[in-house]
Every structure is written in C-alpha cells, then in structure tokens.
Amino acid sequence: MENIVPLKITVVRLGHRVDRDKRMTSHLGLTARAFGADRVILSGDKDDTPLETWRSVTSRFGGEFECMYEPKPMRWLRAFSKSGGKIVHLTMYGRSWNEMTPDLPSGGEIAIVVGGTKVPGELFGLADYNIAIGNQPHSEVAALAVFLNAYVGPKGPDHFPGGSVSVMPSADGKILVSKED
Ligand code: SAM
C-alpha cells in the first residue's frame, strides 16, 4: 500500500488592507476553513480582527483550523517552495481551473495564494500552478470557494470535531445544537 501523504492546505492572503479589506479578508478565512483548508496565513497590514474572528468561529464550530500573521509572505512562499510545498496561485490570468484541478497533487503541502493589493509579478513564476476561475476579474472569496470545492469537495460535520455548537440542517428554520449539554 503506497504511503499516502495527507493533503495539508494553507491559504495565503496577500496584501490585506485594514482600511478596506476587513470583511473581505474575514470572509476569505471563513471560506477557507469551511471548504477544507487547514490554515490561513494573513499578510499585508497587521490586523488581529480577522485572526480573532477565525479563532472564535473555530472554537464554537469545531475543527483544527489554524491562522497566523506573516509579515514577509514572499519569503515564506520561497521557503515553502524550497521545502517541497506546491504553490497554487489563483489569478484571472491563469489556466482554467477545470482543466488544472485533475493535475493537482492529492497529498502533501499545498499553499493556495490569493491577492488583495497588487500581486507581486514574482509570484507568477514562483507558483507551480497559476489557476483562473474564469478569466474575468472577480473576488478572492469567490475564487477560493469555487477552487476549494472542486479540489477537496464540501466538508461535512466530521471535518469539524469538537466545538460547542453545530448546525442541524433544516428545511425551514435555524437549528443550532449545543454540544455541551
Ligand atoms: N489588484 C490585484 C492585482 O492587481 O493582482 C487583484 C485584485 S482581485 C479582486 C483579488 C484577488 O482575487 C486576485 O489576486 C486573485 O487571487 C482573486 N481573483 C480575482 N478574480 C479571479 C479569477 N477570475 N480567477 C482566479 N482568482 C481571481
């Protein structure tokens, strides 16, 4: 039986701007978590708010999700690549996601990079895959959601052990189940 190295996904958010990206960055991390990423690395303006949001949601709804701030993301990405990690850069200039997804590794360390402010040109060469969710400009949250859903698929409750509450799917209301009773 070949030794299958589990897939570990890190989402790297470049260029967070504290004055205009608060909600967008916060939603990006929540989307990363809900759609199966293991970790988010925040860079750009130093801002604890998104990190606090992600930690609070993880504490309530469970799972092993991690997050951290990185002041030098390109240095981090170069080291990640040198250590054998594979870099996926989501960009409208890339090749189509539905062509590329079957070629992506099914195990090992993957970093998925999305931009905010101007993305460094170096990233296009550093990335192992430059992938577009269509070749029109839209949003990092939409791009990440579509890509992660195609790459690792929707995550069910087993992906989020622990926590204090969970949602009971309902056809006509909101049911939040306490796990602490
Ligand atoms: N101003 C940034 C730049 O010049 O590169 C891009 C701004 S865009 C709103 C923010 C991020 O959303 C991009 O860096 C990319 O990661 C993602 N994005 C937007 N449209 C995309 C698309 N069609 N396919 C893949 N990713 C996309």
Side-chain angles (χ1 to χ4, degrees):
M1 175 79 167
E2 65 180 275
N3 174 20
I4 297 176
V5 177
L7 189 61
K8 179 165 182 187
I9 297 177
T10 298
V11 171
V12 179
R13 200 284 190 273
L14 297 179
H16 170 66
R17 293 156 290 195
V18 68
D19 57 339
R20 59 177 281 189
D21 289 332
K22 265 200 189 303
R23 276 174 64 81
M24 178 67 80
T25 295
S26 174
H27 290 180
L28 183 82
L30 294 179
T31 302
R33 176 186 169 277
F35 281 78
D38 300 282
R39 177 171 62 161
V40 168
I41 288 180
L42 174 65
S43 72
D45 292 349
K46 185 100 174 63
D47 180 5
D48 289 336
T49 307
L51 298 170
E52 287 160 5
T53 300
W54 303 332
R55 287 174 182 138
S56 164
V57 166
T58 300
S59 164
R60 286 192 73 215
F61 288 88
E64 308 295 322
F65 189 69
E66 298 171 327
C67 56
M68 58 189 266
Y69 177 76
E70 170 54 60
K72 296 187 180 300
M74 291 308 292
R75 182 184 65 178
W76 188 93
L77 285 165
R78 288 186 213 105
F80 179 84
S81 180
K82 200 173 253 174
S83 70
K86 295 299 179 195
I87 297 174
V88 172
H89 171 213
L90 296 182
T91 170
M92 71 175 180
Y93 302 103
R95 285 182 56 201
S96 169
W97 62 284
N98 34 28
E99 275 170 36
M100 300 286 288
T101 310
D103 300 339
L104 295 179
S106 56
E109 294 269 356
I110 303 289
I112 301 171
V113 187
V114 291
T117 55
K118 188 109 186 78
V119 171
E122 176 196 357
L123 179 57
F124 289 82
L126 182 62
D128 299 278
Y129 309 90
N130 288 288
I131 293 180
I133 313 297
N135 296 110
Q136 297 292 326
H138 50 78
S139 145
E140 50 269 47
V141 176
L144 183 67
V146 170
F147 177 76
L148 274 178
N149 195 48
Y151 185 29
V152 291
K155 292 302 168 190
D158 297 349
H159 189 77
F160 304 101
S164 57
V165 294
S166 67
V167 169
M168 176 77 70
S170 163
D172 56 7
K174 289 166 61 175
I175 305 174
L176 204 56
V177 176
S178 168
K179 291 184 175 178
E180 292 175 332
D181 295 341

